[in-house]
Amino acid sequence: MTEQVTGAPGPAARKIAPASTWGAELRTMFTLAWPLVIAQLAQNALTTTDVIMTGWLGPDFLAAGTLATTFLMPFLVGGIGIVSAVAPLVAQARGARDIKAVRRVVRQGMWAAILIAAMLVPFLWQIKPIFAALGQDPAITLMSEQYIQTAVWMLFPALAIIALRSLLSAFDSTRIILLITVGGVVFNAGLNYALIFGNFGFPRLELRGSAVATVLTNALMFGLMLLYVLRHRRFKRFNIMIRFWKPDWPRFRQIFRIGTPIGLTVLAEVGLFTAAALLMGLLGTDEVAAHAVALQSASMAFMVPLGLGIAATVRVGVAYGRTDPEGVRKAGWTAFALGTGFMTLSCIVFLTMGPVIVSWFLDPRSAANANALGLAATFLVVAGFFQIVDGAQVVAAHALRGLSDTKVPMVVAIVGYWLIGLPVAYFLGFELGWRGVGIWLGLAAGLGSVAVVLVARFAMRERLGLMRTMA
């Protein structure tokens, strides 16, 4: 999202007027953010559906699916970060009215998606020896391998979707993205129900059925998005599939040059949670299942400040572009107030309704789930407290991106998550014997340290020279 602001803004960005008062900024921010929030929630619902339905199979299946997707996720989001560089490049081409550049950027973005997926598939197939070296349970590892062997094929459509989504977003056509994503959620839920449990005459594939549903859902979403781009009168003029195999090496390299910092920043955070899941795997199946439930609940709440953060990037970036330091101040702190305000509410919900929430994922009537349910409710208490710092760090990071400040936040994220969060998680979880609770407290320590530094950096933006180029 950084370069969507630092690049040349399209007409939609130029139409966003300065907010003269805090109330006006609040209204503008909310209007801009709510469609983004819904889109993020819909995207996250795809994973939530998988977690819920595999949880119905039992803790072993949920643990295996969680470890498999946790292993896959860092590579997926890293690839998404790289391909998302298509968005600012298309926006710049739109500003220059360069139809040929739009076509070439999107095409090379799809090339990048294909290359990244092709490089990742052989590596991800090595999950079994990797998990064995990490000391994971052999039975759970075997089930995870069965899931990954199928699920890796979703990388090709999932990454290609980012290139098409960037094109649609740059031309303000976000409603179709939301509709396709919501349709994907419904399709994925139905296919999961059919293939996991053998309903409607389909074979009972259990965990592998969830993987098949994930691949087919992403393929369907990509197909619908591509069909829209090729058939809609606004986008068919770009002819993105004409001479698809014709290379444009400068733009191909540019996508990787712009996208890599985005991918590394997100990868640092996702990698921390991957490491936490692997640490949970050393404790036992119930701990992994409980971790999956708590993490999925926390990630759903996280989608709201994430959507607000994206809106903050736009608002701060537009104010920065029009040399309006007061607009930067209002936009950044308004988004921060909305994000942390919502996360305070989610904190209260987690603290007061933990047992109810975890019962949505694991059947409380089954005696086999009793330990996992208790652990998940305990983890949600810790998750409730780190909701506030999690919301603060994501909004602050996006506000700084609006000022073109990305390199230092990337270093802050790497240090905070890997030199503070992970060591604290290991020390509390294993050295002090606090087990899963200690690991979650380590996650909170990492998120909290990053939040403090990034919020302070935004507050000190003028003293640090982040506004210097505005003049």
Side-chain angles (χ1 to χ4, degrees), residues 36-339:
L36 298 171
V37 169
I38 294 176
Q40 294 295 332
L41 288 169
Q43 183 68 38
N44 190 259
L46 288 168
T47 307
T48 304
T49 303
D50 293 343
V51 171
I52 291 175
M53 292 197 179
T54 54
W56 292 348
L57 290 172
D60 287 353
F61 291 94
L62 180 57
T66 299
L67 286 176
T69 53
T70 303
F71 178 65
L72 170 66
M73 195 56 62
F75 302 100
L76 174 61
V77 299
I80 287 174
I82 295 173
V83 180
S84 65
V86 170
L89 296 176
V90 171
Q92 293 168 19
R94 179 187 180 184
R97 300 182 180 275
D98 189 345
I99 293 178
K100 184 182 293 185
V102 171
R103 176 171 63 249
R104 290 180 174 178
V105 168
V106 175
R107 179 191 298 155
Q108 295 309 302
M110 296 176 72
W111 274 41
I114 294 171
L115 176 63
I116 294 167
M119 293 173 62
L120 289 178
V121 166
F123 174 78
L124 291 169
W125 272 341
Q126 307 307 311
I127 183 174
K128 185 176 180 179
I130 292 173
F131 273 20
L134 294 173
Q136 299 299 309
D137 181 85
I140 298 298
T141 295
L142 182 61
M143 296 169 66
S144 298
E145 182 186 38
Q146 293 172 351
Y147 178 89
I148 283 290
Q149 285 175 342
T150 300
V152 289
W153 298 109
M154 60 87 70
L155 289 170
F156 289 94
L159 294 178
I161 283 172
I162 302 303
L164 296 180
R165 194 175 70 185
S166 298
L167 169 65
L168 294 169
S169 299
F171 282 84
D172 315 317
S173 296
T174 54
R175 183 176 298 179
I176 186 62
I177 298 173
L178 178 59
L179 291 175
I180 290 175
T181 305
V182 172
V185 172
V186 176
F187 180 78
N188 184 63
L191 206 55
N192 264 319
Y193 188 69
L195 295 178
I196 291 176
F197 306 104
N199 293 313
F200 312 124
F202 286 88
R204 182 183 174 93
L205 301 179
E206 297 184 334
L207 198 57
R208 193 184 292 273
S210 177
V212 172
T214 297
V215 174
L216 293 179
T217 298
N218 278 276
L220 175 66
M221 292 169 63
F222 169 72
L224 291 174
M225 205 168 288
L226 179 62
L227 183 64
Y228 183 87
V229 168
L230 294 179
R231 299 294 299 272
H232 194 278
R233 59 183 178 81
R234 193 179 185 194
F235 295 99
K236 64 190 300 184
R237 61 195 171 108
F238 296 122
N239 298 311
I240 65 169
M241 299 304 291
I242 298 296
R243 294 187 294 277
F244 181 80
W245 297 110
K246 183 179 180 181
D248 188 337
W249 298 119
R251 286 192 173 89
F252 185 74
R253 290 190 294 269
Q254 190 177 25
I255 287 171
F256 279 89
R257 186 174 66 251
I258 293 175
T260 300
I262 303 173
L264 289 175
T265 301
V266 180
L267 194 59
E269 182 174 0
V270 174
L272 173 66
F273 285 91
T274 300
L278 294 175
L279 291 178
M280 288 289 183
L282 299 177
L283 296 175
T285 299
D286 286 340
E287 280 81 357
V288 176
H291 176 75
V293 171
L295 183 59
Q296 194 60 41
S297 302
S299 67
M300 285 294 290
F302 178 76
M303 294 301 106
V304 175
L306 177 59
L308 285 163
I310 297 171
T313 300
V314 175
R315 291 295 297 165
V316 170
V318 170
Y320 180 79
R322 65 170 180 258
T323 64
D324 179 9
E326 181 63 16
V328 169
R329 185 171 75 95
K330 285 190 172 72
W333 291 120
T334 298
F336 180 81
L338 288 172

Side-chain angles (χ1 to χ4, degrees), residues 336-352:
F336 180 81
L338 288 172
T340 54
F342 173 83
M343 293 303 255
T344 300
L345 294 177
S346 70
C347 169
I348 295 172
V349 171
F350 284 2
L351 294 179
T352 58

